[in-house]
Structures are given as structure tokens and as C-alpha cells.
């Protein structure tokens, strides 16, 4: 009976978000309330402990929110200054082959944007860019989401791990880095495959011949592009930490792949193109026509960089600065120790012994994103719109604020339901974890990533999935005698795979390209890649986890 009661807040969240399509900002306060009532009535938590755990959770959620705010602020700064227009224009003259374009834009550029911003931004940015180049809008929505998988665990400079996993587990830095590495290993393997998958999707489901044979000529280029991202990605995950693999890996991949593609290296000899628009399925375009006209496409292909409002060097400088700042502050030991030591602390929240710390000088949201957004005001001649951009970003993160505060608060209530003085037994999360361990035991490494996938699907976020399930996953691992690091990596990687089908991201991508209402078709197209990705993560973690029992 206790396991069923302990699972009610999570089941409620799943049902309301997946079945009834409620937004997280409405679901998470209700799920927190259910958790608080159960903790008080069944697990005997006093009001002080319920309030203390909830406040501690909201404070921990604030650290995540600062990163989200800074990431979105920088993206809005680039959009409103015209820098994104220049960045988009740099892709026009790479190659006319759609297979090459989709690999560079959907995979590499999407990985870079995920590393810098995360939270659904890559698909919302890459999909309209591909439509602007002449892709069918439905095609752009689907293939912009599929590559939004391998980079996601390290998106928004490591927020899913630093802000998600660590906000509920508060584990040592070495173990946190280990979880990141265990997530990065299957992601690295997948990063070599995903570019091939996105090419396969456009030629098989949206090509003039609907044939896999058009995939073969593009495989060498797709593998090469995947490797330019995957190699620095795994090295950064292993030797630097979770902040930089996607951001710097994507930047390095772009820096290598764009000039080599322009030179014709591994580019297919025959240029592949979609069929004439008159032969497109009407669902590919949607209700709202957003495709550029043939004349506009021809004009875009002849545009000169000198005609753009901002030069390519200036347009890319903010992202380069973010990368440099994060590398310097994470690699130089004394500087890292100094900045991370500058904190605002709240100790013994409401007498519970829970201690909160806000490392204001070390969080990527402040030391990188907000700082670079300020630098960008004179750099991009952006002074007249800067105030409105900052105010608009504050309004934009309102729903995320509610969802994060209550999601982390709910998890902290569940975690601490067995730690307070009146507790007469195991807490909610321990009860739930023990039951799962007894049911699945040694095969949990295979099951774990599907839990992460489900969390991302229902919440729209790898970070929120990790907040919801990291403590549960750790409890199952401990009960089953499996490495907590392996299971943590499986949770993080599985949640990334869920990003390509999560309702929030699909709606955002479809909305930006004018095919709102086609979300079900996009999810059906992406469901097989998502499940195959998750299964691969499970088998990989299960295979390697068999030789590493216990905890790492």
C-alpha cells in the first residue's frame, strides 16, 4: 500500500501532462500539494518540515532558473539585434544539397544552440531556418527535433546535470562528473548515428522517390560531421565536466564541417532536392503558409554578407565569449575555487538542517550569459532594445518559474519524508525505490533510461525529468546493488532521448514553422528514433554496468 501512496504525486503528474495535456505550470503545484498531504498524513511530517523542505526546493530551483533566464536572455538579445539573421545567412552558401544542410543545421547548429541555451530552443531556432532555405515545414519540425537528443544532457551549459540531478541529490563533484560521463558514452555512440537518421528521414518520408537509396551517398559526410562533434564532446565530458560538451562540441563541429563542406569534402556528387512544391502533401505545409517564395529563395541565395546589418564575426562573438568564459572559469583551478566560493547561503532552513547555497559568481547564468548579454549591448549596437529584451525575458520565464519551484519542492518533500524527527520508517522515495528494485532487480539499467524518457516526454525537459526521478533512480540502484553512477547516467541519457517526442518541444517546433495541429504526425515520425535511442542507452548501460556492481 505504501509504494502506491508514495507513487501518487508522480502518477498524477504523468496522467495530467500526458493524458490531459496540462502544462507543467499547472500540474506541478497540484503534484506538490498531493505529496505534501501524503507526507503530513501518512509519513507524519510536521508543518515546519513540510514548509522547510518546500522552501529549500524552491531555493534550489532558483539556481536553475538563473541559468534558464541567462540562456534565453542571450538568445533574445541575438534575435532582437539582428545577429541571428546574420548567423542564419552563413548557412545559405554552404551547399545546395538538402542532406548536407540538414546535417549541419539540425544536428551541428542545433547541438551548439542546445549547449548554449537548451530548454527547447534548438528546434525552435533550427526549424524556421530550414524552412527559410526551402524545406517543407513539417519536415523541418521533425528533423529539427531528432538531433535534439545527444547534446541535451549537457544543454544550457550542463543544467540537466548540474541543476537537475544535483538539485535533488547534492552529490560530490566527482560523482556528478561521473554521471555526466556515463551519459556521454552512449550519447557519443548515438552522435555518429543521428546525422544518418535525420538524412534517412528526409529522403524516405519526404523525398521525391521516398527511397532509402538516396541516403547512401550522404552517409560518409554524415559520419564525418557526427565525429567532429562526438570527439570533442566525449573528451570534454571526461576531462572538463558537464558544462561544455555540447556547447564547445557543437562549435568545434561547425568550425570544421562548414569549411570542409564548402570545399566539397565528402559531399555527395549529385545534389539532392525535394520534389517540386506542387507535389508536396498538403500536411507538409500546414494551415499557415510560412515558406519563402521562389523569388525570395533566389534572392537569399545571392545575398552578400556586406548587406547584412551585423557582420558574421560580431554575430558569432557572443557565443564565442560564452564558450571562452566557461572554459576559463572551469579549467583554471584557482579561479574556479575563488568564484565558486562566492556564495549567498541560507543555513538550517526553518530548523530542518537543510542548507542552501547560491553561487552567484559561478553559475553560467550570471558569469557567462548575463555578462555576455551586457557586453553585447555596445557590441551589437543594441542599446535601444536592450531594456525591452530584459523585461520580455523576465515575462517569458514565468511559467518555467512556477514549474521548477514546485517540481523541486515536491521532490524535496518526498526525499525528506523519512528524515524528519517524527519519521517512523522509510520516506516516500525510499519506499518507492525499494518496490521498483524488487520488481526489476538486475535489469534496471535497461529500464532506467525509459523512466528518464517518460519524464522528459511528460514534462518537456531533461532537467525536470532529472529532478523528478534522480532520487528515485538512485534509491533503486542502492536497493538493487547497482552502480548509482551508471543508473544516474542512464536516467540523464534516457531523458535526452525523450526530448525529440516531448509535447512541449513538438508544439514549439510546429508553431514556429506554421504547422500547428500536426504535432501527432511529428511524434509518430520521431517515436521510433526516440525509443530506439533509449533502448540503445539501456543496453549500453546494462552491458557495462554488469561489470561494475555497487556504487562508483
Amino acid at each position: 500500500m505504501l509504494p502506491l501512496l508514495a507513487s501518487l504525486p508522480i502518477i498524477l503528474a504523468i496522467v495530467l501532462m500526458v493524458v490531459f495535456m496540462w502544462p507543467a505550470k499547472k500540474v506541478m503545484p497540484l503534484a506538490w500539494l498531493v505529496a505534501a498531504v501524503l507526507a503530513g498524513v501518512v509519513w507524519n511530517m510536521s508543518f515546519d518540515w513540510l514548509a522547510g523542505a518546500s522552501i529549500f526546493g524552491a531555493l534550489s530551483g532558483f539556481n536553475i532558473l538563473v541559468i534558464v533566464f541567462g540562456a534565453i536572455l542571450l538568445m533574445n538579445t541575438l534575435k532582437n539585434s539582428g545577429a541571428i539573421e546574420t548567423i542564419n545567412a552563413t548557412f545559405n552558401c554552404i551547399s545546395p544539397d538538402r542532406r548536407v544542410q540538414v546535417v549541419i543545421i539540425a544536428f551541428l547548429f542545433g547541438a551548439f544552440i542546445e549547449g548554449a541555451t537548451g530548454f527547447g530552443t534548438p528546434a525552435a531556432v533550427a526549424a524556421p531556418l530550414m524552412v527559410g532555405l526551402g524545406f517543407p515545414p513539417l519536415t523541418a519540425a521533425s528533423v529539427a527535433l531528432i538531433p535534439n537528443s545527444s547534446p541535451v544532457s549537457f544543454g544550457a551549459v550542463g543544467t540537466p546535470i548540474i541543476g537537475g540531478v544535483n538539485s535533488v541529490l547534492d552529490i560530490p563533484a566527482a560523482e556528478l562528473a561521473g554521471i555526466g560521463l556515463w551519459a556521454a558514452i552512449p550519447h557519443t555512440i548515438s552522435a555518429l548515428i543521428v546525422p544518418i537518421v535525420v538524412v534517412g528521414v528526409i529522403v524516405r518520408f519526404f523525398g521525391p522517390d521516398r527511397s532509402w537509396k538516396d541516403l547512401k551517398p550522404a552517409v560518409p559526410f554524415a559520419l564525418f560531421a557526427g565525429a567532429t562533434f562526438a570527439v570533442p564532446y566525449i573528451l570534454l565530458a571526461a576531462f572538463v565536466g558537464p558544462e561544455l560538451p555540447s556547447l564547445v562540441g557543437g562549435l568545434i563541429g561547425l568550425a570544421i564541417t562548414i569549411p570542409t563542406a564548402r570545399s566539397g569534402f565528402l559531399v555527395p556528387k549529385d545534389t539532392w532536392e525535394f520534389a517540386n512544391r506542387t507535389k508536396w502533401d498538403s500536411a507538409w505545409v500546414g494551415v499557415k503558409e510560412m515558406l519563402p517564395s521562389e523569388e525570395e529563395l533566389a534572392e537569399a541565395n545571392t545575398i552578400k554578407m556586406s548587406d547584412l546589418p551585423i557582420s558574421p564575426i560580431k554575430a558569432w562573438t557572443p557565443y564565442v565569449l560564452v564558450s571562452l568564459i566557461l572554459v576559463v572559469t572551469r579549467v583554471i583551478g584557482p579561479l574556479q575555487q575563488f568564484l565558486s566560493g562566492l556564495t549567498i547561503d541560507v543555513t538550517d532552513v526553518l530548523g530542518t538542517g537543510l542548507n542552501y547555497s547560491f553561487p552567484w559568481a559561478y553559475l553560467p547564468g550570471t558569469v557567462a550569459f548575463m555578462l555576455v548579454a551586457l557586453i553585447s549591448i555596445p557590441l551589437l549596437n543594441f542599446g535601444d532594445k536592450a531594456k525591452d529584451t530584459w523585461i520580455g525575458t523576465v515575462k517569458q520565464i514565468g511559467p518555467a518559474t512556477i514549474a521548477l519551484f514546485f517540481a523541486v519542492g515536491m521532490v524535496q518533500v518526498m526525499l525528506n519524508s523519512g528524515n524528519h524527527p517524527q519519521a517512523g520508517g522509510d520516506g516516500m522515495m525510499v519506499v518507492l525505490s525499494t518496490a521498483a528494485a524488487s520488481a526489476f532487480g538486475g535489469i534496471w539499467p535497461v529500464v532506467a533510461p525509459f523512466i528518464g524518457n517518460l519524464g522528459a516526454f511528460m514534462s518537456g525537459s531533461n532537467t525536470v525529468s532529472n529532478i523528478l526521478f534522480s532520487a528515485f533512480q538512485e534509491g533503486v540502484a542502492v536497493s538493487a546493488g547497482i552502480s548509482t553512477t551508471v543508473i544516474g547516467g542512464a536516467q540523464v541519457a534516457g531523458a535526452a532521448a525523450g526530448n525529440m517526442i516531448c509535447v512541449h518541444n513538438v508544439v514549439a517546433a510546429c508553431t514556429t514553422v506554421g504547422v500547428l495541429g500536426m504535432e501527432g504526425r511529428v511524434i509518430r515520425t520521431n517515436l521510433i528514433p526516440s525509443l530506439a535511442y533509449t533502448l540503445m542507452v539501456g543496453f549500453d548501460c546494462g552491458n557495462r554496468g554488469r561489470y561494475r556492481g555497487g556504487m562508483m
Side-chain angles (χ1 to χ4, degrees), residues 74 112 116 157 236 240 243-244 247-248 251-252 316-332 335 339 367-369 371-372 375:
L74 183 59
F112 173 70
V157 288
L236 287 163
V240 178
E243 295 100 335
L244 300 177
L247 176 68
V248 177
L251 188 61
I252 292 173
W316 281 97
T317 294
Y319 281 133
V320 174
L321 286 175
V322 167
S323 303
L324 289 175
I325 289 171
L326 289 172
V327 169
V328 169
T329 56
R330 269 60 182 168
V331 172
I332 299 177
L335 180 61
L339 293 177
V367 74
F369 290 131
L371 177 60
V372 172
I375 294 172

Side-chain angles (χ1 to χ4, degrees), residues 278-293:
T278 59
K279 298 181 180 179
W280 289 3
D281 186 324
S282 60
W284 295 4
V285 177
V287 177
K288 184 179 179 182
E289 175 68 63
M290 295 188 67
L291 274 170
S293 65

